[in-house]
Amino acid sequence: MKELDIVGLTNEVFSEEFEVPAGDLSPQAHIFNDLGLDSLDVVDLIVALQKKFGVQVRNDERVREVRTLQDLYDYLGQIRDEQL
Amino acid sequence: MPLKRPVITGMGVVSSLGCNVEDLTGGIESGGCATKYIDEWAGIEGLNSKVAAPLELKGERDIPRKFRRTMSPMSIFAAGAADQALESAGIGQSGMRDNPRAGCIVGHTSGSPQALHSVYSELLSSGDFGMFGSSDFFRCISHTAALNVSQYLGITGAVMATSAACASGLQAVGAGADLIRTGRQDMMLCGGTEELHQTVTGSFDILFAASCGYNDRPSMTPRPFDRDRDGLVCGEGAGMLLLEEYDHARNRGARILAEITGYHTCGNGTHISRSNPAAMKLCMEAALGEAGVEPKDIDYINAHATGTEQGDAAEAGALADIFSETHTPVSSLKGNLGHTLGASGPIELIVSLVMMENGTIYPTHNLKNVADDCRGIVHVKEKMETEIRCFLKNSFAFGGINAAIVCRRI
C-alpha cells in the first residue's frame, strides 16, 4: 500500500469528479482560488478521496488546513502511513 | 382588482422522440413509438414489466458544472427544456435572471429515483453517513428540479414545486397561470420532468397497472383506449412552458401561442388508486367554466389515457358524459411517448399547441380496436386535419388528483 500513487490518484479525483483540466493540476494550485471548488465541492471531494483511497478523513481536523494540491498530497501521505 | 390574462409565449421539450419541439412532433407525426425492452431490468425479480420509453441524455456538459453537480437526469432534462422555452419566447436566460416578477414551477413525482437508489444503496450497505456527498441531497430532495432550474437561470421570483404524481406538471402550469392571473408575477416558467427507474415502473407493476404482456413486442405498447391494452409504460423527459401576462407579452412584441383561459385541479375523495369518473368530470367542467366555454366550443381533447384498463375507461366515461353530443375529437400521446408521469401534462400540452397551430390532430398511437369500455367519444385513429381554436388537456394522478387546462388561440 505504500506504493500508492497519491499524486496520480488525487489528480484523477479532480479530473473525474470536478472536471478540472489536467494542465491545471499543479502542486501549488489553490483548491478554491485556482481550481474553482467551493465549500459544497469540498464535501464531495472528501467523499471521493475516501472512496478512492479507502480511508476515513471526514472528521479529521487536519483536512481543514488543506489549501493547495501539495497540501493535499502531503496530508494523504500522512493518512496513508496512519491508516493503510 | 381585475384578473390578468396568462398566455403562453415559449415552449421546450426533452423527450424520448426528440430533444426539441420540432423533432418530437416530427417523431409523433411519423408514428414513432419510444417503447423499448430494457435489458438492465431483465433479471429484476418480481418486475414483470420490462419495457419503458427511455431518453438518451445528450449535451449535459453544456450546463456549467457549478449547476450540473446537483442535477440528476430529471433536472438536466428540465434545464434543457427551460432553455428552449426561453429561447423560443425570444427572451433567453437574461430575460428571467434577477427579475423578481419572473418565477419558476417544476413538478415531478419525487426526488430523483436514481439518486435515491444510489444513496440508500450506499447507506444500507455501509451504514456510513460519511460516504454521502453534499450534492446527493440536492438530487434527492423533493423539489430538486425546481431548485436546480431556478439556480441555473438565476430566478428570483416565485420558485415552487408541485408534486402530485402524474398531475404534477399540469398543476405546475396551472399554478403558474394562477400567479399571473392574480398579478403576483409577470412571467412564470412552468412544467414537469421525470426520469426512468425500475422503482417507478415497479410501483405501477405491483398495482397491476404497468404493461407486462408486450415485453417481446415493445412497440405495440402502451395502447390507450384499445381493446388489448394491458397497462402503462413509463417514460422520461421534460416539458417547460413560459407563461406571461398578456400585456407584458404584447408590450415586448412576443409571439403568443395561446391563452390559458381555464384551469382546475381537484381530488376525488373516494379511492387512492381507483380513478373516479365523477371527479374527472367535475374537474373538466370546472376548467371549462373558468374558461367561459361550453363543451361544443372545445375543438380537441388531449386525453390523459395511459393505457391502463381502469383509468382509460374512467376517462372515456367522464369525457362521454360531457362531450357525447359534441363529437369532439379525442387522442392520447402515451402510445408514442409512454407515460412521462409528472412531465406528461406539459409535454402533451406543448404538442397540443403545435397541433392547434398546424390544424392537425395526431392520432392515438397503437389504438387499433376501441375497447367496449372506452366507447362514446370520438377517437382519433388517423391523422386528422381540422381547425383547433380551443382545446382541453387532462392529467389524472394516483391519489385521486385531477387537473385540466383549457387553452385558446388568440
Side-chain angles (χ1 to χ4, degrees), chain B residues 230-280:
Chain B
D230 76 336
L232 60 80
V233 172
C234 288
E236 60 183 342
M240 296 293 291
L241 300 106
L242 185 69
L243 314 187
E244 208 167 336
E245 193 275 320
Y246 176 74
D247 289 328
H248 188 276
R250 285 293 301 268
N251 290 340
R252 70 177 186 86
R255 178 168 162 257
I256 295 174
L257 303 170
E259 177 178 3
I260 297 177
T261 51
Y263 165 63
H264 193 67
T265 184
C266 64
N268 72 22
T270 52
H271 194 279
I272 199 162
S273 63
R274 194 167 181 79
S275 307
N276 180 304
M280 291 172 161

Coordinates of all heavy atoms in Angstrom, one line a residue, chain B residues 230-280:
Chain B
D230 N -52.9 -3.3 -21.8 CA -52.6 -4.0 -20.6 C -51.8 -3.2 -19.6 O -51.2 -3.8 -18.7 CB -51.9 -5.3 -20.9 CG -50.4 -5.2 -21.3 OD1 -50.1 -4.0 -21.7 OD2 -49.7 -6.1 -21.1
G231 N -51.8 -1.9 -19.7 CA -51.2 -1.1 -18.7 C -50.3 0.0 -19.3 O -50.1 0.1 -20.5
L232 N -49.7 0.8 -18.4 CA -48.9 1.9 -18.9 C -47.4 1.5 -19.0 O -47.0 0.5 -18.6 CB -49.0 3.1 -17.9 CG -48.6 2.9 -16.5 CD1 -47.1 3.0 -16.3 CD2 -49.3 4.0 -15.6
V233 N -46.7 2.3 -19.8 CA -45.3 2.2 -20.0 C -44.6 3.5 -19.5 O -45.0 4.6 -20.0 CB -45.0 1.9 -21.5 CG1 -43.4 2.0 -21.7 CG2 -45.6 0.6 -21.9
C234 N -43.7 3.4 -18.5 CA -43.1 4.6 -18.0 C -42.1 5.2 -19.0 O -41.4 4.5 -19.7 CB -42.4 4.3 -16.7 SG -43.5 4.0 -15.3
G235 N -42.2 6.5 -19.1 CA -41.2 7.2 -20.0 C -40.5 8.3 -19.1 O -40.7 8.4 -17.9
E236 N -39.7 9.1 -19.8 CA -39.0 10.1 -19.1 C -38.8 11.3 -20.1 O -39.0 11.2 -21.3 CB -37.6 9.7 -18.6 CG -36.7 9.2 -19.7 CD -35.3 8.7 -19.1 OE1 -35.0 8.9 -18.0 OE2 -34.6 7.9 -19.9
G237 N -38.5 12.5 -19.5 CA -38.3 13.7 -20.3 C -38.8 14.9 -19.5 O -39.1 14.8 -18.3
A238 N -38.9 16.0 -20.2 CA -39.4 17.2 -19.6 C -40.1 18.1 -20.6 O -39.7 18.1 -21.8 CB -38.2 18.0 -18.9
G239 N -41.0 18.8 -20.1 CA -41.7 19.9 -20.9 C -41.8 21.1 -20.1 O -42.1 21.1 -18.9
M240 N -41.4 22.3 -20.7 CA -41.4 23.5 -20.0 C -42.1 24.6 -20.9 O -41.8 24.6 -22.1 CB -40.0 24.0 -19.6 CG -39.2 23.1 -18.6 SD -39.9 23.0 -17.0 CE -39.6 24.6 -16.3
L241 N -42.9 25.4 -20.2 CA -43.6 26.5 -21.0 C -43.3 27.8 -20.3 O -43.3 27.9 -19.1 CB -45.1 26.3 -21.0 CG -45.5 25.0 -21.7 CD1 -46.0 24.0 -20.7 CD2 -46.6 25.2 -22.7
L242 N -43.2 28.9 -21.1 CA -43.1 30.2 -20.5 C -44.5 30.8 -20.6 O -45.1 31.0 -21.6 CB -42.1 31.1 -21.2 CG -42.0 32.5 -20.5 CD1 -41.3 32.3 -19.2 CD2 -41.3 33.5 -21.4
L243 N -45.0 31.1 -19.4 CA -46.3 31.8 -19.3 C -46.0 33.3 -19.0 O -45.1 33.6 -18.3 CB -47.2 31.2 -18.1 CG -47.3 29.7 -18.0 CD1 -48.3 29.4 -16.9 CD2 -47.6 29.1 -19.3
E244 N -46.9 34.1 -19.5 CA -46.6 35.5 -19.4 C -48.0 36.3 -19.3 O -49.0 35.8 -19.9 CB -45.9 35.9 -20.7 CG -45.0 37.1 -20.6 CD -44.1 37.2 -21.8 OE1 -43.8 36.2 -22.5 OE2 -43.6 38.4 -22.0
E245 N -47.9 37.3 -18.6 CA -49.1 38.2 -18.5 C -49.4 38.8 -19.9 O -48.4 39.2 -20.6 CB -48.9 39.2 -17.4 CG -50.2 40.0 -17.0 CD -50.5 41.2 -17.9 OE1 -49.5 41.9 -18.3 OE2 -51.7 41.3 -18.3
Y246 N -50.6 38.8 -20.3 CA -50.9 39.2 -21.7 C -50.3 40.5 -22.1 O -49.7 40.6 -23.2 CB -52.5 39.3 -21.9 CG -52.9 39.7 -23.2 CD1 -52.8 38.9 -24.3 CD2 -53.5 41.0 -23.4 CE1 -53.3 39.3 -25.6 CE2 -53.9 41.4 -24.6 CZ -53.8 40.6 -25.7 OH -54.3 41.0 -26.9
D247 N -50.5 41.6 -21.4 CA -50.0 42.9 -21.7 C -48.5 42.9 -21.7 O -47.8 43.6 -22.6 CB -50.5 44.0 -20.8 CG -52.0 44.3 -21.0 OD1 -52.4 44.1 -22.2 OD2 -52.7 44.6 -20.1
H248 N -47.9 42.2 -20.8 CA -46.4 42.1 -20.7 C -45.9 41.5 -22.0 O -44.9 41.9 -22.6 CB -46.0 41.2 -19.5 CG -44.6 41.1 -19.2 ND1 -43.7 40.3 -19.9 CD2 -43.8 41.8 -18.4 CE1 -42.5 40.4 -19.4 NE2 -42.5 41.4 -18.5
A249 N -46.6 40.4 -22.5 CA -46.2 39.8 -23.7 C -46.4 40.7 -24.9 O -45.5 40.8 -25.8 CB -47.0 38.5 -23.9
R250 N -47.5 41.4 -25.0 CA -47.8 42.3 -26.1 C -46.8 43.4 -26.1 O -46.4 43.8 -27.2 CB -49.3 42.8 -25.9 CG -50.4 41.9 -26.3 CD -50.4 41.5 -27.7 NE -50.6 42.7 -28.6 CZ -51.8 43.1 -29.0 NH1 -52.9 42.5 -28.6 NH2 -51.9 44.2 -29.7
N251 N -46.5 44.0 -25.0 CA -45.7 45.1 -24.9 C -44.2 44.9 -25.4 O -43.6 45.8 -25.9 CB -45.6 45.7 -23.5 CG -46.9 46.4 -23.1 OD1 -47.7 46.7 -24.0 ND2 -47.1 46.5 -21.8
R252 N -43.8 43.6 -25.3 CA -42.5 43.3 -25.8 C -42.5 42.6 -27.2 O -41.5 42.2 -27.7 CB -41.7 42.4 -24.8 CG -42.2 41.0 -24.6 CD -41.3 40.2 -23.7 NE -41.7 38.8 -23.7 CZ -41.3 37.9 -24.6 NH1 -40.4 38.2 -25.5 NH2 -41.7 36.7 -24.5
G253 N -43.7 42.6 -27.7 CA -43.9 42.1 -29.1 C -43.7 40.6 -29.2 O -43.3 40.0 -30.2
A254 N -44.0 39.9 -28.1 CA -43.9 38.4 -28.1 C -44.9 37.7 -29.0 O -46.0 38.2 -29.2 CB -44.0 37.9 -26.7
R255 N -44.5 36.6 -29.5 CA -45.5 35.7 -30.3 C -46.3 34.9 -29.2 O -45.7 34.2 -28.5 CB -44.7 34.8 -31.2 CG -45.5 33.9 -32.0 CD -44.7 33.2 -33.1 NE -45.3 32.0 -33.6 CZ -44.9 30.8 -33.2 NH1 -43.9 30.6 -32.5 NH2 -45.6 29.7 -33.7
I256 N -47.6 35.1 -29.2 CA -48.4 34.4 -28.3 C -48.9 33.1 -28.9 O -49.6 33.1 -29.9 CB -49.6 35.3 -27.8 CG1 -49.0 36.6 -27.1 CG2 -50.6 34.6 -26.9 CD1 -50.0 37.6 -26.7
L257 N -48.6 32.0 -28.2 CA -49.0 30.7 -28.8 C -50.5 30.4 -28.4 O -51.2 29.7 -29.1 CB -48.1 29.6 -28.2 CG -46.6 29.9 -28.5 CD1 -45.7 28.9 -27.7 CD2 -46.3 29.8 -30.0
A258 N -50.9 30.8 -27.2 CA -52.2 30.5 -26.7 C -52.5 31.2 -25.4 O -51.5 31.7 -24.8 CB -52.4 29.0 -26.5
E259 N -53.7 31.4 -25.1 CA -54.1 31.9 -23.8 C -54.6 30.7 -22.9 O -55.4 29.9 -23.4 CB -55.2 33.0 -23.9 CG -55.6 33.5 -22.5 CD -56.7 34.6 -22.6 OE1 -57.1 34.9 -23.8 OE2 -57.1 35.1 -21.6
I260 N -54.2 30.7 -21.7 CA -54.7 29.7 -20.7 C -56.0 30.3 -20.1 O -55.9 31.3 -19.3 CB -53.7 29.3 -19.6 CG1 -52.5 28.6 -20.3 CG2 -54.4 28.4 -18.6 CD1 -51.4 28.3 -19.3
T261 N -57.1 29.9 -20.6 CA -58.4 30.5 -20.2 C -59.0 29.8 -19.0 O -59.9 30.4 -18.3 CB -59.4 30.6 -21.3 OG1 -59.5 29.3 -21.9 CG2 -58.9 31.6 -22.4
G262 N -58.7 28.5 -18.8 CA -59.3 27.8 -17.7 C -58.4 26.7 -17.1 O -57.6 26.1 -17.8
Y263 N -58.5 26.6 -15.8 CA -57.7 25.6 -15.1 C -58.4 25.1 -13.9 O -59.1 26.0 -13.2 CB -56.3 26.2 -14.7 CG -55.6 25.3 -13.7 CD1 -55.2 24.0 -14.0 CD2 -55.3 25.8 -12.4 CE1 -54.5 23.3 -13.0 CE2 -54.6 25.1 -11.4 CZ -54.2 23.8 -11.8 OH -53.6 23.0 -10.8
H264 N -58.4 23.9 -13.6 CA -58.9 23.4 -12.4 C -58.2 22.1 -11.9 O -57.6 21.4 -12.7 CB -60.4 23.0 -12.5 CG -61.1 22.8 -11.2 ND1 -61.3 23.8 -10.3 CD2 -61.6 21.7 -10.6 CE1 -61.9 23.4 -9.2 NE2 -62.1 22.1 -9.3
T265 N -58.1 22.0 -10.6 CA -57.5 20.8 -10.1 C -58.3 20.4 -8.8 O -58.8 21.2 -8.1 CB -56.0 20.9 -9.7 OG1 -55.5 19.7 -9.2 CG2 -55.8 22.0 -8.6
C266 N -58.5 19.1 -8.6 CA -59.3 18.6 -7.5 C -59.0 17.2 -7.2 O -58.4 16.5 -7.9 CB -60.8 18.7 -7.9 SG -61.3 17.6 -9.2
G267 N -59.3 16.8 -6.0 CA -59.2 15.4 -5.5 C -60.5 14.7 -5.8 O -61.5 15.3 -6.0
N268 N -60.4 13.3 -5.7 CA -61.7 12.6 -5.9 C -62.3 12.2 -4.6 O -63.5 11.8 -4.5 CB -61.5 11.4 -6.9 CG -60.7 10.2 -6.3 OD1 -60.6 10.1 -5.1 ND2 -60.2 9.4 -7.1
G269 N -61.5 12.2 -3.5 CA -62.1 11.9 -2.2 C -62.7 10.6 -2.0 O -63.5 10.4 -1.1
T270 N -62.4 9.6 -2.9 CA -63.0 8.3 -2.8 C -62.1 7.2 -2.7 O -62.2 6.3 -1.9 CB -63.9 8.1 -4.0 OG1 -63.2 8.3 -5.2 CG2 -65.1 9.0 -4.0
H271 N -61.0 7.1 -3.6 CA -60.1 6.0 -3.5 C -58.7 6.4 -4.0 O -58.6 7.2 -4.9 CB -60.6 4.9 -4.5 CG -60.0 3.6 -4.3 ND1 -58.7 3.3 -4.8 CD2 -60.4 2.5 -3.6 CE1 -58.4 2.0 -4.4 NE2 -59.4 1.5 -3.7
I272 N -57.7 5.9 -3.3 CA -56.4 6.4 -3.5 C -55.8 6.0 -4.9 O -55.0 6.7 -5.5 CB -55.4 5.9 -2.4 CG1 -54.2 6.7 -2.3 CG2 -55.1 4.4 -2.5 CD1 -53.5 6.6 -1.0
S273 N -56.2 4.9 -5.5 CA -55.7 4.5 -6.8 C -56.7 4.3 -7.8 O -56.4 4.2 -9.0 CB -54.9 3.2 -6.6 OG -55.7 2.1 -6.2
R274 N -58.0 4.2 -7.5 CA -59.0 4.0 -8.5 C -59.6 5.3 -9.0 O -60.0 6.1 -8.3 CB -60.1 3.2 -7.8 CG -61.1 2.5 -8.8 CD -62.0 1.5 -8.2 NE -62.9 0.9 -9.2 CZ -62.5 0.0 -10.0 NH1 -61.3 -0.5 -10.0 NH2 -63.3 -0.5 -10.9
S275 N -59.5 5.5 -10.3 CA -60.0 6.7 -10.9 C -61.5 6.8 -10.7 O -62.2 5.8 -10.7 CB -59.7 6.7 -12.5 OG -58.4 6.4 -12.7
N276 N -61.9 8.1 -10.6 CA -63.3 8.3 -10.3 C -63.9 9.2 -11.4 O -63.5 10.4 -11.5 CB -63.4 9.0 -9.0 CG -64.9 9.4 -8.6 OD1 -65.5 10.0 -9.3 ND2 -65.3 8.9 -7.5
P277 N -64.7 8.7 -12.3 CA -65.2 9.5 -13.5 C -65.9 10.7 -13.0 O -65.9 11.8 -13.7 CB -66.1 8.5 -14.2 CG -65.7 7.1 -13.8 CD -65.2 7.3 -12.4
A278 N -66.7 10.7 -11.9 CA -67.4 11.8 -11.5 C -66.5 13.0 -11.1 O -66.7 14.2 -11.5 CB -68.3 11.5 -10.3
A279 N -65.4 12.7 -10.5 CA -64.4 13.7 -10.1 C -63.6 14.2 -11.3 O -63.3 15.4 -11.4 CB -63.4 13.2 -9.1
M280 N -63.4 13.3 -12.3 CA -62.7 13.7 -13.5 C -63.7 14.7 -14.3 O -63.2 15.8 -14.8 CB -62.5 12.5 -14.4 CG -61.4 11.6 -14.0 SD -61.4 10.1 -15.0 CE -59.8 9.4 -14.7

